[in-house]
């Protein structure tokens, strides 16, 4: 089952489940004789109209909680738990909006018509039918995979014997969805072991070509945990490609507990690049970006006009400085700032910032210490190029240079760049040397691997404190 067919199946199945559960709930409530007794026939068009409104509500709720992401390689139990959490939260909203009647005295209301009882009844109806539909879709998906339909092209990278064993195991467990095409040799000495049982697709230095030629979707890594340099180099080279990365842990990883740092599917494969944020956090983060940016731009407009006048009067040149930076997924965009340097600051080419940089204008020094030069970037946030919190965006010149020198550097490009970052809120300094960049990358990766709405709030509060203190680097 392709991703498109999977999504259509879930949408149609959820439509049937949600509308069917509401019709069942309506019948139980009004016509079963267990609750309110109502004479006459069911007004089916009115019931279906209400059910369609509910479907729109549940569709948004399921999107919010990530129920339309691909789940087929994850334990079915995890999806069922997520469905139950989502339907429980949605039912509470349904009770408050539809079932709750504050005008009816509670002592005159039969217990069977209490909103809490009716809410529990609706929760049982909608959760049971939704879980049933999901089980049917996943069962059909599993049978298709076991029949060889919908498998994702995969390659194995590493030592031959471990690669061969993993390929055999995945061939027997087709329900995981991997079609192993062959392996990429990572150790030269493996030539003696290549006996035709596993196809040799290429050597380690050719892995990008192998992925493009065979349209690979999954890369399974069987390098030993001790091969840190090669593993980091491989992750760095593939982080910018649209492939899933999984590592086969060795016995040491499992015993030491390192294999539990990632979610392990019903098979010993560690997901290197899982979903960074939960769907509801992504939505909340974007809503916060738009709301705060709009408020700051509108309410602070008189202050921004005064700053613009200060820039114009302090030195010749434009008020707003714009420059191309690299954004999410490597897409370039124009970043905006109040100009804090002289117009010929980089006439000799891109340069690192310096402490007490002589290129900074007197008024620009004040702007940089208070970070007010970054204010125009709220427009970048508003139009979606940036976020309030994220790794600081770099110029393409530095990105191309740094990804050659620092393994896994492109991992920073998986998220929107930010006006502020964990590094900036903690260290509050500009990059002056390559060591600063390496140190910043550690903070950026720490942020990406721990991204959450709560962490964003902490970084924003810390940044506000730094701005008020005026301790930024000039």
């Amino acid at each position: 089952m392709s991703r498109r067919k999977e999504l259509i199946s879930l949408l149609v199945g959820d439509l049937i489940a949600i509308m069917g559960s509401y019709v069942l709930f309506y019948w139980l409530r009004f016509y079963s004789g267990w609750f309110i007794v109502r004479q006459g026939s069911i007004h089916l068009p009115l019931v279906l109209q209400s059910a369609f409104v509910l479907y729109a509500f549940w569709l948004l709720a399921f999107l919010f909680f990530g129920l339309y992401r691909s789940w087929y390689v994850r334990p079915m139990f995890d999806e069922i738990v997520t469905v139950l959490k989502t339907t429980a939260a949605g039912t509470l909203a349904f009770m408050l909006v539809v079932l709750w009647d504050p005008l009816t005295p509670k002592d005159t209301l039969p217990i069977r018509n209490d909103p809490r009882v009716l809410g529990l009844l609706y929760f049982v109806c909608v959760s049971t039918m939704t879980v049933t539909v999901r089980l049917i879709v996943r069962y059909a998906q599993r049978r298709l995979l076991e029949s060889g339909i919908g498998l994702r092209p995969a390659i194995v990278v590493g030592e031959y014997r471990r690669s061969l064993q993993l390929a055999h195991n995945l061939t027997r467990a087709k329900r995981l969805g991997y079609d192993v095409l062959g392996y990429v040799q990572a150790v030269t000495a493996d030539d003696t072991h290549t006996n035709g049982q596993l196809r040799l697709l290429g050597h380690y230095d050719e892995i990008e070509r192998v992925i493009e030629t065979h349209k690979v979707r999954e890369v399974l890594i069987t390098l030993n945990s001790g091969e840190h340099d090669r593993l980091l180099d491989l992750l760095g080279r593939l982080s910018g490609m649209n492939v899933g990365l999984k590592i086969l842990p060795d016995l040491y990883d499992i015993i030491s507990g390192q294999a539990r740092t990632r979610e392990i599917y019903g098979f010993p494969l560690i997901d290197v690049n899982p979903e960074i944020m939960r769907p509801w956090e992504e939505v909340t983060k974007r809503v916060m970006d738009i709301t705060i940016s709009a408020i700051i731009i509108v309410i602070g407009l008189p202050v921004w006009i005064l700053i613009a006048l200060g820039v114009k009067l302090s030195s010749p040149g434009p008020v707003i400085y714009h420059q191309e930076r690299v954004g999410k997924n490597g897409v370039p965009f124009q970043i905006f700032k109040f100009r804090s340097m002289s117009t010929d600051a980089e006439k000799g080419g891109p340069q690192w910032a310096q402490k007490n940089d002589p290129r900074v204008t007197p008024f620009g020094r004040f702007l940089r210490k208070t970070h007010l030069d970054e204010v125009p970037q709220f427009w970048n946030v508003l139009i979606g190029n940036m976020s309030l919190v994220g790794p600081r965006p770099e110029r393409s010149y530095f990105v191309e240079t740094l990804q050659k020198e620092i393994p896994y550097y492109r991992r920073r490009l998986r998220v929107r760049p930010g006006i502020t970052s964990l590094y900036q809120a903690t260290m509050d300094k500009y990059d002056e040397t390559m060591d600063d960049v390496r140190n910043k990358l550690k903070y950026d990766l720490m942020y990406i691997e721990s991204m959450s709405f709560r962490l964003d709030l902490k970084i924003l509060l810390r940044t506000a404190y730094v701005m008020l203190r005026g301790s930024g680097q000039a």
Side-chain angles (χ1 to χ4, degrees):
M1 184 183 294
S2 67
R3 174 66 184 136
R4 182 181 177 184
K5 291 179 180 178
E6 176 192 7
L7 186 57
I8 292 173
S9 300
L10 290 175
L11 289 170
V12 172
D14 288 341
L15 175 64
I16 295 171
I18 291 165
M19 297 192 68
S21 62
Y22 183 71
V23 171
L24 175 62
F25 169 75
Y26 191 89
W27 179 84
L28 288 172
R29 185 182 181 189
F30 294 114
Y31 296 94
S32 66
W34 298 346
F35 298 92
I36 298 174
V37 178
R38 176 176 293 180
Q39 301 298 327
S41 59
I42 297 176
H43 299 287
L44 192 58
L46 183 61
V47 175
L48 292 179
Q49 183 180 357
S50 301
F52 269 114
V53 173
L54 270 177
Y55 175 66
F57 164 76
W58 283 115
L59 181 63
L60 292 175
F62 287 177
L63 284 169
F64 192 71
F65 283 93
L67 282 170
Y68 291 118
R69 290 186 173 182
S70 186
W71 284 77
Y72 77 93
V73 294
R74 306 186 188 187
M76 189 64 217
F77 178 77
D78 290 354
E79 186 173 11
I80 291 174
V81 169
T82 305
V83 169
L84 294 177
K85 288 180 180 179
T86 306
T87 51
T91 301
L92 286 175
F94 178 73
M95 287 171 60
L96 291 173
V97 175
V98 179
L99 300 177
W100 185 52
D101 182 10
L103 300 179
T104 302
K106 294 295 180 289
D107 55 351
T108 64
L109 192 67
I111 185 65
R112 63 191 179 194
N113 293 324
D114 188 293
R116 291 168 293 186
V117 175
L118 294 175
L120 179 61
L121 174 66
Y122 181 65
F123 168 73
V124 171
C125 291
V126 71
S127 60
T128 300
M129 296 195 74
T130 305
V131 167
T132 301
V133 164
R134 296 264 164 167
L135 288 172
I136 292 172
V137 171
R138 298 311 176 195
Y139 175 76
Q141 199 169 18
R142 178 173 176 175
R143 291 302 300 269
L144 288 172
L145 289 172
E146 289 175 347
S147 301
I149 300 173
L151 299 176
R152 294 164 66 86
I155 59 173
V156 187
V157 181
E159 188 267 332
Y160 179 76
R161 293 188 185 277
R162 296 187 76 208
S163 299
L164 179 62
Q165 182 182 8
L166 176 60
H168 284 170
N169 291 338
L170 292 176
T171 301
R172 289 196 296 268
K174 286 188 175 180
R175 67 185 185 278
L176 295 177
Y178 297 110
D179 177 22
V180 181
L181 305 177
Y183 96 111
V184 173
Q185 184 186 71
V187 182
T188 306
D190 277 349
D191 288 336
T192 56
H193 302 303
T194 307
N195 53 15
Q197 295 184 56
L198 186 61
R199 181 184 174 191
L200 177 63
L201 300 175
H203 299 277
Y204 179 79
D205 294 335
E206 306 170 302
I207 188 167
E208 291 90 349
R209 178 191 60 79
V210 171
I211 290 173
E212 292 176 0
T213 302
H214 297 277
K215 296 179 172 57
V216 173
R217 299 289 303 281
E218 298 284 342
V219 177
L220 312 171
I221 303 169
T222 62
L223 294 170
N224 293 319
S225 60
E227 299 179 79
H228 296 141
D229 291 341
R230 174 153 292 192
L231 182 59
L232 282 175
D233 178 65
L234 179 62
L235 296 179
R237 289 168 60 183
L238 301 186
S239 62
M241 305 188 74
N242 186 29
V243 293
L245 298 174
K246 310 289 189 299
I247 297 178
L248 179 69
D250 58 21
L251 183 61
Y252 175 79
D253 291 327
I254 296 172
I255 293 175
S256 64
Q258 294 182 49
R260 291 185 295 177
T261 59
R262 292 291 180 202
E263 179 183 2
I264 300 179
Y265 305 128
F267 200 79
L269 287 174
I270 304 174
D271 194 351
V272 177
N273 289 332
E275 300 292 349
I276 292 178
M277 289 185 81
R278 287 173 288 186
W280 73 265
E281 288 186 307
E282 287 183 357
V283 173
T284 307
K285 179 180 172 71
R286 185 60 189 146
V287 169
M288 181 178 70
D289 285 347
I290 294 172
T291 304
I292 293 180
S293 298
I295 290 173
I296 289 177
I297 289 174
V298 173
I299 293 181
L301 188 59
V303 178
W304 316 145
I305 293 174
L306 290 175
I307 290 177
L309 288 173
V311 173
K312 192 67 178 177
L313 295 174
S314 63
S315 64
V319 171
I320 300 294
Y321 173 75
H322 64 89
Q323 187 181 70
E324 184 178 279
R325 298 288 177 97
V326 179
K328 183 179 179 181
N329 297 324
V331 177
F333 71 97
Q334 292 291 321
I335 193 173
F336 301 102
K337 301 176 69 173
F338 283 125
R339 183 173 56 82
S340 61
M341 289 187 176
S342 59
T343 53
D344 61 349
E346 291 193 332
K347 60 182 180 181
Q351 301 177 36
W352 295 110
Q354 306 171 37
K355 193 171 183 178
N356 299 318
D357 201 318
R359 299 172 298 168
V360 178
T361 65
F363 188 69
R365 200 169 301 281
F366 161 74
L367 294 179
R368 288 162 74 92
K369 285 184 73 67
T370 57
H371 294 287
L372 289 173
D373 59 323
E374 314 282 2
V375 166
Q377 291 168 36
F378 284 107
W379 175 252
N380 288 113
V381 175
L382 205 58
I383 63 177
N385 291 331
M386 295 177 64
S387 177
L388 293 175
V389 182
R392 288 294 295 161
E394 297 283 4
R395 282 174 280 182
S396 57
Y397 170 83
F398 288 124
V399 170
E400 293 170 4
T401 302
L402 295 170
Q403 68 184 358
K404 294 176 183 177
E405 299 193 25
I406 304 176
Y408 215 35
Y409 182 82
R410 290 187 64 87
R411 173 73 167 163
R412 299 174 77 252
L413 304 181
R414 290 201 62 193
V415 299
R416 281 191 182 97
I419 293 180
T420 186
S421 66
L422 179 61
Y423 177 77
Q424 194 169 16
T426 305
M427 305 299 293
D428 195 35
K429 66 189 299 292
Y430 294 99
D431 299 334
E432 299 176 17
T433 65
M434 186 62 71
D435 288 337
D436 287 338
V437 176
R438 290 192 179 93
N439 192 37
K440 183 174 73 174
L441 179 61
K442 294 178 184 177
Y443 281 86
D444 290 341
L445 293 180
M446 283 168 52
Y447 169 75
I448 291 171
E449 301 306 324
S450 308
M451 275 183 73
S452 68
F453 183 67
R454 180 183 177 186
L455 179 58
D456 278 13
L457 289 177
K458 291 171 66 176
I459 292 173
L460 287 173
L461 291 173
R462 172 67 184 173
T463 303
Y465 170 72
V466 170
M467 289 180 64
L468 292 173
R469 196 176 60 177
S471 59
Q473 179 178 318

